[in-house]
Amino acid sequence: STLGEILSSQKKFDEAETVLSEATVVFRNHGGPEHPYVAYGLLGLGNVLLRKGDATAAETPMRQALGIRLRKLSEDSWEIAAARSDLADCLIQLGRFDEAEALLVPSLPTIETAKGPNHYLTRQAIERLGRLYEKTNRAELAAKYKAMMPPA
């Protein structure tokens, strides 16, 4: 929900978590468990949990959201790629680098093609790849992705 995103941007994470949890229940009750808004709410919740520093708790809603999108959208959808990028961010924080890389590398071109090189989702995916490669001591690849960052 937009309110959840606003609260999260204000670092009111507990309030954002409550709003997003409640919104997801409403979306499920009115649209069914596979409704696209359910995936949207779950991703929002997962991202709030990540920002709170709880990557372990964030993984489940992010995987659920990705599952909904995989069942409802075409494989080349930017929305699937964006959900994979979010889940990869979670996995990076959990230190599961191989799994994160497998999700993130194919997501970047899909997002960039759909949204363009300057879109925030593209910049996020590039930043995440750079961070992944820094954490795995692959300086050359980290530098490559840092150099790809478009001006904000």
Side-chain angles (χ1 to χ4, degrees):
S1 87
T2 303
L3 178 57
E5 292 172 2
I6 291 168
L7 291 168
S8 179
S9 73
Q10 296 172 342
K11 298 187 183 341
K12 296 178 180 177
F13 301 124
D14 291 335
E15 291 174 65
E17 182 180 352
T18 299
V19 166
L20 287 162
S21 294
E22 291 172 357
T24 302
V25 169
V26 170
F27 297 149
R28 270 193 189 107
N29 289 342
H30 291 284
E34 297 282 304
H35 194 280
Y37 286 170
V38 174
Y40 177 75
L42 288 166
L43 279 176
L45 177 60
N47 278 304
V48 166
L49 292 167
L50 264 185
R51 292 191 72 200
K52 282 178 68 172
D54 194 350
T56 300
E59 183 180 3
T60 297
M62 289 185 161
R63 285 196 183 279
Q64 290 171 343
L66 177 57
I68 291 168
R69 287 186 173 177
L70 285 167
R71 288 186 295 277
K72 293 296 183 180
L73 301 172
S74 105
E75 179 64 32
D76 62 349
S77 164
W78 70 266
E79 292 170 290
I80 289 173
R84 285 180 171 146
S85 176
D86 285 348
L87 177 56
D89 189 29
C90 177
L91 295 169
I92 290 167
Q93 291 186 37
L94 291 170
R96 290 161 48 195
F97 303 123
D98 290 343
E99 198 177 345
E101 185 176 20
L103 290 168
L104 201 47
V105 169
S107 295
L108 175 57
T110 302
I111 294 168
E112 189 170 21
T113 298
K115 295 296 185 179
N118 296 318
H119 193 272
Y120 80 95
L121 290 172
T122 305
R123 290 193 313 266
Q124 272 184 341
I126 292 168
E127 182 277 327
R128 290 168 176 167
L129 278 163
R131 188 164 25 97
L132 169 73
Y133 292 131
E134 277 182 348
K135 288 182 177 280
T136 56
N137 298 313
R138 293 185 272 176
E140 192 173 301
L141 284 169
K144 170 187 169 186
Y145 285 100
K146 285 185 181 246
M148 289 174 61
M149 282 296 291

